Amino acid sequence: MDEAILESLAYRVAELERRLGNVVRPGVIAEADYPQARVRVRVGELVTGWLPWLTRRAGGDVDWWAPEVGEQVVMVAPSGELTAAWVLPAGYSDAVPAPADTADVWVVQLADGAELRYDRAASQLTVTLPGDAQAVIDGDAAVSVGGSATVDVGGDLAATAGGEATVDAPSIHLNGGTGVVTGASICHFTGSPHGDVSATVTAGK
């Protein structure tokens, strides 16, 4: 067979092997450019160019959870060319082990110590926040609790309503005090409704 043909065949085989080996490659994030949503990946001694990473949604709904330097990832290059690869986060490692050991738990842990955990076996949601929390709701909101609910605040508690605030329960206890005098209360001395009634706060007798 002609030597030139043999050289061509050898090159084509080597090129196919190279591309096949690059279709799926594990690596570690070496650099990140968050404004451009691109990362560079280290694979052994090789550091790739700037590559996009895969996210769950990028249409009408958009998801953002950026990979970090040192995070273990996988590159997927359908053509076998790493210059056209996408980065798929992420994989557990000895440095960052799995945060759970059962299929019943869904958990998100953040670097500052915050954690969101749902245990479907116990039907229990746990949210742990090391700092402040803020909830902003532009429209109406309703919270429905089938059982009992407890709010324990270590500091001050303030509730402000632009309209009417209503608390309705068979029994209401404020600070362990005694009964409240209302406009429906009858004065034992005059036999008439009590006269010193708040025009702001109302309560049933």
Side-chain angles (χ1 to χ4, degrees):
M1 184 177 291
D2 185 87
E3 185 175 344
I5 295 177
L6 289 175
E7 290 180 355
S8 176
L9 287 174
Y11 171 78
R12 293 179 64 183
V13 170
E15 179 67 7
L16 287 173
E17 289 178 342
R18 182 188 70 82
R19 290 195 175 213
L20 183 61
N22 283 339
V23 170
V24 179
R25 295 286 299 272
V28 175
I29 301 294
E31 297 180 59
D33 183 349
Y34 295 127
Q36 297 299 319
R38 295 290 189 273
V39 293
R40 300 181 71 187
V41 180
R42 182 181 300 280
V43 183
E45 298 300 320
L46 169 70
V47 176
T48 69
W50 292 105
L51 302 173
W53 67 81
L54 291 175
T55 186
R56 292 177 297 181
R57 296 295 302 275
D61 297 332
V62 182
D63 178 75
W64 172 266
W65 202 347
E68 298 181 85
V69 172
E71 191 166 355
Q72 186 169 280
V73 296
V74 173
M75 289 184 297
V76 178
S79 66
E81 289 291 352
L82 293 182
T83 55
W86 286 78
V87 178
L88 178 63
Y92 301 122
S93 63
D94 292 339
V96 185
D101 58 4
T102 171
D104 289 323
V105 171
W106 171 75
V107 58
V108 176
Q109 290 181 342
L110 301 178
D112 65 348
E115 180 180 280
L116 177 63
R117 179 181 294 261
Y118 183 74
D119 185 341
R120 68 185 182 188
S123 298
Q124 183 179 59
L125 174 66
T126 303
V127 180
T128 303
L129 298 175
D132 298 334
Q134 181 178 8
V136 178
I137 301 173
D138 291 333
D140 296 337
V143 178
S144 178
V145 180
S148 300
T150 301
V151 178
D152 188 357
V153 180
D156 296 335
L157 173 63
T160 302
E164 183 177 80
T166 302
V167 178
D168 189 3
S171 179
I172 300 174
H173 303 274
L174 298 176
N175 209 31
T178 58
V180 176
V181 176
T182 73
S185 300
I186 302 299
C187 177
H188 292 292
F189 298 102
T190 65
S192 300
H194 202 283
D196 189 14
V197 176
S198 172
T200 304
V201 180
T202 63
K205 182 179 178 183

